[in-house]
Amino acid sequence: MTIGIIGAMIEEVEPLLKELKLERKLVKAGMEFNHGELWNNKVVIVKSGIGKVNAAVCTQILIDDFNVDAVINVGVAGGVGEDVYPGDVIIAENLVQHDMDSTAFGDKRGQIPRLDTFDFKCDETLLLKSKRACEKMNNCKYFVGRIVTGDQFIADSDKIKWLSEEFSALACEMEGGSVAQVCYLNDIPFVVIRSASDNANNGAHMDYEKFKPIAVNNSVTILKNMLETM
Ligand code: ADE
């Protein structure tokens, strides 16, 4: 069993790379795929870069060239749910791309036209393992629900209100929904685990820098707890 681990930014993958027993490294599409052993699991760790296109390319390479059996996307997110604060963890039960809009053809916002699903559901077993991993931690407040993805850093309280009302989203980020779509198309189990670095409101960019290290640390610990049970 090989697990693909995707983080969008170097800050999100660096702590994992430090723990990796690297066996081989391959560069494709400008991304470094680090193959090796992490906490007794065969993994490929990769920094995808930010946004949906990067994440989609990265996920498809993991599937085609590394034959991964599952994909885990970790990193930070903007809190959207009322009770979600910086540092809290959000495990995606499902994901929707909030910037997909073909309402002109009568589709619901977020619906990818002519696709047979509205949302992308995370794998039940990986979900269970993610929840258990959070429960092992002291002081880890975690939520399970919908994460929405779009090619926008959200720093606007009206926009979070909209994401909450339109999609019942708990958090927003810029890659998960696209990792999820590629996994869905290839029938590969996946889960997205994020930790809130900000509240996606007017001060989001400032909170983001302050809370990012805490948020990154959370997702690394969860991943460690999770991999130890795989
Ligand atoms: N990742 C972390 N914070 C975010 C935000 N506010 N919007 C989009 N992606 C994010």
Side-chain angles (χ1 to χ4, degrees), residues 14-58:
E14 204 162 42
L16 300 172
L17 290 174
K18 280 192 186 144
E19 301 282 337
L20 179 73
K21 286 183 202 140
L22 182 70
E23 282 161 18
R24 96 192 137 96
K25 191 184 278 200
L26 190 131
V27 178
K28 190 162 179 180
M31 300 170 195
E32 265 185 13
F33 293 81
N34 300 277
H35 193 279
E37 199 185 300
L38 181 69
W39 301 309
N40 290 322
N41 285 269
K42 280 225 159 305
V43 299
V44 183
I45 302 174
V46 53
K47 180 194 79 169
S48 62
I50 296 169
K52 293 190 303 176
V53 175
N54 280 328
V57 168
C58 181

Side-chain angles (χ1 to χ4, degrees), residues 109-121:
R109 266 179 207 273
Q111 172 68 49
I112 296 168
R114 304 183 187 200
L115 196 66
D116 59 355
T117 186
F118 175 68
D119 59 359
F120 300 105
K121 292 172 185 60

